[in-house]
């Protein structure tokens, strides 16, 4: 589903903590529409890399480009407004609100809302109807219409995951960073969650940190392997599986 156009480019990215380089001269390009996984042992720098992309951490050196523009010094909210969506490791769901209210809130706060300010000022009802319609579409898409009026806290586990993905979708991102969305899940729950992400976020570019290698191999368009802050290998699942360095350093032969 890629079209060869770069959506995210990292050029010579370095992040040091004191004398220690958690990310060391990393350059990589992610194409629009791609499903890219970032793997590597604990401490490899995966979360740090995501924090540099989202703007949660300032870079020490190097440049971040998104959608053809440099965003290296942009704040996290500015990056969200440009279309970099947050993962749901930090849950965006309000437990006391209904499923519908959660989706509606996210749709209202979507990144394009600032561009619609004038329009929503002069035609508030138009925006209201538009958001209601969008909310309904998203509820259908995540298959939660039947529990739309229930409190988020009352949802079964799997439905809660659906809602979290729906909230991400409602903010209308171009790129979504998923930092271990399946942490603490069983193998089956992990599979269902990743399948759902792939099924629902079809128009988005996905960047995923995931420990389940089998799943990563099955679903990714390309994989970036980090080791000690550096890119050890990058390629299709087939290329990564055959890579000697990866086998030695990470997959244990
Ligand atoms: P991963 O996500 O691949 O497990 P991290 O990005 O969390 O790796 O961490 C990479 C390295 O950077 C680790 O050695 C970690 O201890 C170190 N590190 C991460 N954040 C900080 C910080 N705020 N201060 C000091 N060291 C850090």
């Amino acid at each position: 589903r890629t079209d060869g156009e770069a959506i995210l480019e990292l050029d010579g990215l370095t992040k040091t903590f004191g004398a220690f380089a958690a990310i060391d001269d990393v350059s990589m390009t992610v194409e629009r529409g791609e499903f890219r996984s970032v793997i590597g042992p604990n401490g490899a720098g995966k979360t740090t890399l995501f924090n540099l992309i989202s703007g949660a951490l300032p870079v020490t050196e190097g440049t971040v480009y998104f959608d053809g523009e440099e965003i290296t010094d942009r704040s996290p909210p500015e990056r969200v407004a440009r279309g970099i969506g947050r993962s749901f490791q930090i849950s965006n769901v309000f437990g006391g609100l209904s499923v519908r209210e959660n989706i509606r809130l996210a749709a209202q706060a979507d990144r394009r809302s600032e561009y619609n300010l004038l329009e929503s000022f002069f035609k508030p009802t138009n925006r209201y109807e538009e958001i209601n319609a969008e909310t309904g579409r998203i509820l259908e898409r995540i298959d939660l219409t039947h529990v739309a009026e229930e409190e988020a806290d009352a949802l079964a586990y799997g439905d809660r995951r659906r809602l979290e993905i729906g909230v991400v979708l409602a903010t209308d991102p171009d790129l979504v960073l998923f930092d271990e969305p399946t942490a603490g899940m069983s193998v089956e729950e992990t599979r269902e969650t990743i399948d759902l992400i792939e099924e629902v976020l079809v128009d988005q570019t996905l960047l995923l940190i995931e420990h389940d290698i089998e799943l990563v191999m099955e679903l990714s368009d390309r994989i970036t392997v980090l080791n000690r802050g550096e890119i050890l290998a990058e390629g299709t699942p087939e290329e990564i599986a055959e890579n000697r360095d990866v086998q030695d350093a990470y997959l244990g032969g």
Side-chain angles (χ1 to χ4, degrees):
R1 52 185 195 172
T2 69
D3 59 10
E5 181 196 346
I7 184 165
L8 179 73
E9 276 186 88
L10 311 178
D11 187 17
L13 219 53
T14 294
K15 179 65 187 178
T16 56
F17 296 108
F20 173 74
I23 290 293
D24 191 1
D25 196 19
V26 163
S27 297
M28 66 186 266
T29 301
V30 178
E31 289 177 10
R32 189 179 292 280
E34 196 180 333
F35 191 137
R36 172 75 63 97
S37 295
V38 179
I39 64 171
N42 271 335
K46 303 181 295 293
T47 299
T48 302
L49 185 69
F50 271 35
N51 285 335
L52 297 177
I53 297 168
S54 72
L57 283 174
V59 310
T60 306
E61 251 181 90
T63 318
V64 182
Y65 299 94
F66 180 71
D67 228 353
E69 286 183 53
E70 190 185 339
I71 58 159
T72 316
D73 297 319
R74 300 290 176 180
S75 69
E78 279 180 277
R79 295 183 199 213
V80 171
R82 280 161 190 259
I84 300 181
R86 285 163 298 176
S87 79
F88 57 77
Q89 198 183 39
I90 305 153
S91 180
N92 295 319
V93 168
F94 297 99
L97 297 184
S98 74
V99 170
R100 185 185 303 280
E101 285 163 337
N102 267 287
I103 296 293
R104 197 203 309 269
L105 270 181
Q108 253 163 22
D110 81 25
R111 66 190 184 91
R112 288 180 221 281
S113 58
E114 65 177 297
Y115 306 116
N116 288 329
L117 199 60
L118 201 64
E119 186 191 318
S120 59
F121 181 77
F122 286 113
K123 303 184 224 166
T125 45
N126 274 10
R127 176 83 177 139
Y128 183 76
E129 279 166 19
E130 176 196 320
I131 285 165
N132 274 347
E134 178 66 8
T135 301
R137 275 198 296 275
I138 290 169
L139 287 171
E140 289 287 319
R141 187 91 169 270
I142 56 175
D143 207 7
L144 290 185
T145 305
H146 62 294
V147 290
E149 316 318 326
E150 280 186 29
E151 263 189 27
D153 271 347
L155 292 180
Y157 188 85
D159 285 348
R160 171 82 176 207
R161 289 274 102 87
R162 287 180 176 275
L163 177 56
E164 284 172 345
I165 291 163
V167 167
V168 171
L169 180 65
T171 61
D172 197 18
D174 287 331
L175 170 72
V176 188
L177 306 172
F178 283 109
D179 188 349
E180 288 190 63
T182 64
M185 292 186 194
S186 70
V187 173
E188 198 176 315
E189 289 163 349
T190 295
R191 180 160 290 272
E192 281 173 13
T193 301
I194 302 288
D195 280 348
L196 188 67
I197 287 172
E198 232 208 351
E199 174 197 320
V200 172
L201 300 175
V202 282
D203 296 324
Q204 278 73 22
T205 306
L206 306 177
L207 205 50
L208 174 78
I209 297 175
E210 171 58 51
H211 274 126
D212 187 330
I213 295 303
E214 215 175 297
L215 205 56
V216 162
M217 289 291 179
E218 185 184 316
L219 292 174
S220 311
D221 294 313
R222 293 177 73 78
I223 299 168
T224 299
V225 186
L226 277 184
N227 194 34
R228 299 170 189 266
E230 296 178 9
I231 292 181
L232 180 72
E234 195 169 270
T236 63
E238 295 72 28
E239 288 164 350
I240 293 301
E242 288 167 4
N243 186 293
R244 219 1 108 64
D245 291 338
V246 175
Q247 288 172 3
D248 290 347
Y250 186 53
L251 301 174

